[in-house]
Amino acid sequence: DVTHKQWNGYYLLPAHEPAAAQFAYNKWNPNEGDVIVASYPKTGTNWMAELVSNIAYCHDEEMLQKVKDTTVFFSFLSGGPESKYEVLEKLGIPRKVLRTHLPASLVNFKKYHERGVKIIYMIRNPKDQAVSWYHFCRTQPFADLPSYKDIYTTEKRKFFDTYLKGEHKLFAKKGEGYLEHLKEWYPHQNDNNVLFVHYEDLKKNTKQEIRKVAKFLEITLSGQDVEVIAKRTSFDFMKESDRIKSIQENKPYFKVYRKGRIGEWRDYLTTEQSSLIDEKVQKILGDTNLEFSYYGGDVKA
Ligand code: A3P
């Protein structure tokens, strides 16, 4: 399988490299205070990374820009090539903000704990996550490959059927997916250098969650700081900044900032698909205290 490389039976995305992930595990020397935003794809990774960067460099525009300039793949622990770690060090950012979609078993918790690295794991309800993934696949170059034609199909029912069967090879083992990723991360919920944040909480109680993240990072924010950060990390602000940036840099526009809503799944999943997710949640996560919020204030009830 040339496009989705594997590490320990877990499939990575095509642009990700086992060698880079292994470098992160075995050799990367993080700074104390570096932050890793961990998540399953389409759960709000970019949002949390933007939030953490803004909290860390709320009063340092220059450094904030530097952190934001570490482009998406560059900032992923498993984003290749492994030589990027050397480049990252040279940027001279005291508090780097990196990202990872790796399953918990491929993350070196011991090292990060010892080095004072903080980890924030983003969680989103699995129905909206699936819808977000469906739309994101439209913009993915690999979705056009003949071997994926049947999987990354524009035919909604089929797309979600194959996704729910674990056929999409997305940071999971064969036949597995987001819920297994959550199950593996779950035992780390109470590690003292790990914080779990729900997408829906961030959406509904933005300022409260911003304060929670700042407290976890041991950064003091004034009321005014919280206001500024909330504005700069709002969906509209981030979407517009990203659009302008992609024009300026003449880059392909990956539609990360699409709708940013809670509850859109009702327009996409069949009743059977929605029930199947409920059953799987019960089966895979039934013995955890994880709860998902499937409804928001900004869509029809
Ligand atoms: P939708 O496709 O449902 O709109 P990731 O960053 O993990 O790829 O997740 C992308 C999802 O997060 C997209 O969801 C995107 O719109 C949403 N998102 C990004 N920034 C956001 C923000 N500031 N507020 C709310 N949602 C945001």
Side-chain angles (χ1 to χ4, degrees):
D1 191 330
V2 286
T3 52
H4 290 73
K5 299 194 183 84
Q6 290 180 48
W7 181 19
N8 270 12
Y10 293 89
Y11 289 103
L12 309 182
L13 271 174
H16 293 236
E17 289 291 334
Q22 285 154 9
F23 190 94
Y25 196 100
N26 298 311
K27 299 188 186 149
W28 177 45
N29 223 335
N31 292 341
E32 183 176 349
D34 281 351
V35 182
I36 299 173
V37 174
S39 66
Y40 200 69
K42 314 323 292 172
T43 56
T45 325
N46 287 278
W47 189 10
M48 182 50 75
E50 186 77 7
L51 187 56
V52 169
S53 307
N54 271 277
I55 291 174
Y57 295 110
C58 182
H59 297 287
D60 187 342
E61 286 292 330
E62 200 184 318
M63 204 49 86
L64 176 60
Q65 202 48 50
K66 256 191 181 182
V67 178
K68 283 162 60 136
D69 285 346
T70 20
T71 58
V72 174
F73 289 122
F74 201 65
S75 69
F76 274 104
L77 292 185
S78 57
E82 61 188 285
S83 57
K84 62 107 182 277
Y85 282 98
E86 215 176 300
V87 184
L88 263 180
E89 283 316 314
K90 290 202 181 115
L91 292 175
I93 300 170
R95 193 163 206 169
K96 295 187 288 300
V97 181
L98 296 176
R99 307 162 198 221
T100 192
H101 291 321
L102 290 171
S105 62
L106 303 182
V107 171
N108 194 337
F109 284 95
K110 188 169 174 286
K111 169 166 78 177
Y112 299 140
H113 185 259
E114 285 167 5
R115 302 280 168 84
V117 172
K118 307 240 183 195
I119 303 174
I120 300 180
Y121 185 66
M122 250 338 244
I123 298 173
R124 187 179 192 183
N125 84 60
K127 299 181 186 179
D128 283 328
Q129 183 277 338
V131 172
S132 185
W133 173 239
Y134 168 75
H135 287 285
F136 189 66
C137 284
R138 308 278 80 74
T139 67
Q140 289 302 302
F142 62 79
D144 289 333
L145 291 172
S147 49
Y148 297 114
K149 213 168 71 255
D150 285 344
I151 293 180
Y152 301 115
T153 164
T154 50
E155 209 272 289
K156 269 194 275 184
R157 181 182 291 253
K158 201 167 164 195
F159 181 94
F160 292 116
D161 276 348
T162 55
Y163 185 53
L164 296 178
K165 278 193 213 143
E167 290 177 6
H168 287 204
K169 301 179 177 169
L170 195 61
F171 293 97
K173 291 183 171 164
K174 196 167 191 285
E176 300 191 343
Y178 179 31
L179 301 180
E180 285 82 5
H181 199 269
L182 277 165
K183 172 108 187 162
E184 251 196 50
W185 270 87
Y186 179 73
H188 296 281
Q189 181 172 224
N190 296 319
D191 290 9
N192 58 20
N193 64 330
V194 177
L195 179 72
F196 278 25
V197 176
H198 286 259
Y199 179 100
E200 294 79 12
D201 290 343
L202 193 52
K203 183 93 193 161
K204 291 178 191 169
N205 304 311
T206 309
K207 289 177 195 167
Q208 179 188 307
E209 293 299 298
I210 291 176
R211 284 193 204 93
K212 192 163 97 185
V213 172
K215 188 165 176 232
F216 172 69
L217 298 177
E218 298 169 73
I219 293 173
T220 311
L221 297 178
S222 69
Q224 174 67 17
D225 294 339
V226 175
E227 295 289 332
V228 170
I229 294 168
K231 184 170 171 290
R232 288 179 170 186
T233 56
S234 70
F235 179 79
D236 292 342
F237 190 94
M238 284 178 66
K239 182 170 182 154
E240 183 58 11
S241 311
D242 190 50
R243 195 184 64 81
I244 293 169
K245 193 167 174 233
S246 76
I247 294 169
Q248 282 168 349
E249 297 176 4
N250 195 19
K251 277 197 323 212
Y253 185 47
F254 292 108
K255 289 197 187 110
V256 170
Y257 308 98
R258 198 183 55 85
K259 289 272 171 70
R261 288 176 150 189
I262 307 169
E264 234 199 323
W265 57 271
R266 283 167 293 177
D267 294 332
Y268 287 86
L269 302 177
T270 64
T271 312
E272 292 76 33
Q273 287 166 337
S274 172
S275 305
L276 180 63
I277 294 180
D278 293 334
E279 279 163 32
K280 286 184 104 176
V281 165
Q282 192 48 40
K283 189 163 156 245
I284 299 168
L285 300 170
D287 59 353
T288 71
N289 69 358
L290 286 173
E291 278 181 31
F292 300 116
S293 160
Y294 291 105
Y295 305 96
D298 59 350
V299 283
K300 62 181 187 285

